[in-house]
Amino acid sequence: MSTDAQTTVDPAEVAKFEAMAAEWWDPTGKFKPLHMMNPVRLDYITNQIAAEFGRDLVEVEPLKGLRLLDIGCGGGLLSEPMARLGAEVVGADAAAGNIPVAQVHAEQMGLDIDYRHTTAEALADAGEQFDVVLNMEVVEHVADPLAYLTACQRLLKPGGLMVASTINRNPKSFMVAIVGAEHVMRWLPKGTHEWSKFITPEELADLIVKAGLTEVDRKGMVFNPLRWSWSISDRDLSVNYAMTSVKSTN
């Protein structure tokens, strides 16, 4: 773990997820919402990567030859499918307790994933470079979103792609992501999220530009309580959403 004073890690946020580390791979545990959302997240991510790099997703290993960073990897819910699709995957997390959980599960699955207890800033300072950076449900937990996204930009090769997802900030997201998920459904421990740290799509788009990237796509991820399922939406970004951006080749 880097001791770089420039880190954007928020120790209190790291502690929340470290306390839940052992439950990452329990689909009925504290990370049930992520397990439920994961197929939709993967669909969005893989389609964005395929479009940017001209890959055919029906191939056996369509992401072969791409180096990918899953920042805030947790237990590896995204790192593992990316590795199965052929990418060379580095999974990084500021919570030390997540790494052994991810390593053991990857070994059990027969996957070769480079998991590290480190930060985006430390990786950037070390000169690491990636074709793809997955930045999923992290930016609302860091101390300085712009500094964090700038570190992610530094980690991208020219022409590289970043997929970021987070939660919008409005009355609906408060009711759904905090009251609903934490208090009513009890999918997450109370206090997992802070509504004041949620980021609107307009704010994230502005931060992405300031970090030196260009937005190319944004979509909502919508939960339907009647069908008990998630879907991608072109219009509804009111709660969960994802945004894709690219780094200039210049």
Side-chain angles (χ1 to χ4, degrees):
M1 179 75 176
S2 170
T3 55
D4 186 351
Q6 300 303 310
T7 182
T8 57
V9 168
D10 183 330
E13 294 288 334
V14 171
K16 291 178 189 176
F17 290 92
E18 199 146 44
M20 300 185 281
E23 297 195 47
W24 272 106
W25 289 98
D26 179 0
T28 63
K30 291 185 174 69
F31 295 102
K32 180 178 180 178
L34 280 182
H35 282 272
M36 293 172 63
M37 188 195 293
N38 222 34
V40 168
R41 293 198 304 171
L42 285 168
D43 188 47
Y44 180 77
I45 289 166
T46 53
N47 278 292
Q48 291 300 311
I49 295 173
E52 186 64 27
F53 294 99
R55 301 304 177 97
D56 185 350
L57 294 175
V58 302
E59 293 182 0
V60 177
E61 292 187 318
L63 305 189
K64 196 170 185 66
L66 295 178
R67 190 165 193 247
L68 180 147
L69 171 66
D70 182 11
I71 191 76
C73 64
L77 298 189
L78 288 174
S79 294
E80 290 200 4
M82 293 296 107
R84 287 193 182 94
L85 291 171
E88 177 192 341
V89 179
V90 174
D93 205 295
N98 288 335
I99 299 304
V101 174
Q103 288 172 329
V104 168
H105 197 273
E107 288 169 8
Q108 290 172 340
M109 297 296 107
L111 296 170
D112 182 14
I113 299 173
D114 181 2
Y115 284 116
R116 308 183 196 178
H117 172 218
T118 188
T119 65
E121 291 81 8
L123 288 166
D125 288 345
E128 295 274 3
Q129 291 273 277
F130 300 89
D131 299 288
V132 179
V133 171
L134 300 186
N135 178 5
M136 312 299 284
E137 288 85 50
V138 177
V139 70
E140 72 270 24
H141 296 288
V142 301
D144 185 336
L146 178 56
Y148 168 69
L149 290 170
T150 300
C152 291
Q153 183 263 23
R154 291 170 57 204
L155 287 163
L156 284 172
K157 297 177 183 178
L161 175 144
M162 179 179 76
V163 182
S165 65
T166 189
I167 307 175
N168 203 340
R169 188 181 68 258
N170 54 40
K172 181 178 178 180
S173 69
F174 180 83
M175 292 303 297
V176 172
I178 294 181
V179 175
E182 296 183 14
H183 294 262
V184 178
M185 301 304 294
R186 296 183 181 178
W187 280 342
L188 295 166
K190 293 177 183 178
T192 298
H193 289 110
E194 290 181 44
W195 184 78
S196 63
K197 297 183 79 169
F198 289 176
I199 299 172
T200 69
E202 292 72 26
E203 288 169 345
L204 182 59
D206 183 57
L207 287 166
I208 281 172
V209 170
K210 288 178 178 176
L213 298 167
T214 301
E215 179 192 342
V216 294
D217 188 79
R218 66 172 77 176
K219 294 284 193 300
M221 288 182 278
V222 181
F223 181 67
N224 185 323
L226 298 178
R227 296 182 179 178
W228 209 247
S229 63
W230 289 85
S231 62
I232 296 289
S233 173
D234 289 325
R235 291 172 293 181
D236 187 354
L237 282 71
S238 58
V239 184
N240 296 86
Y241 68 96
M243 193 171 290
T244 301
S245 54
V246 295
K247 184 171 180 175
S248 171
T249 54
N250 297 328

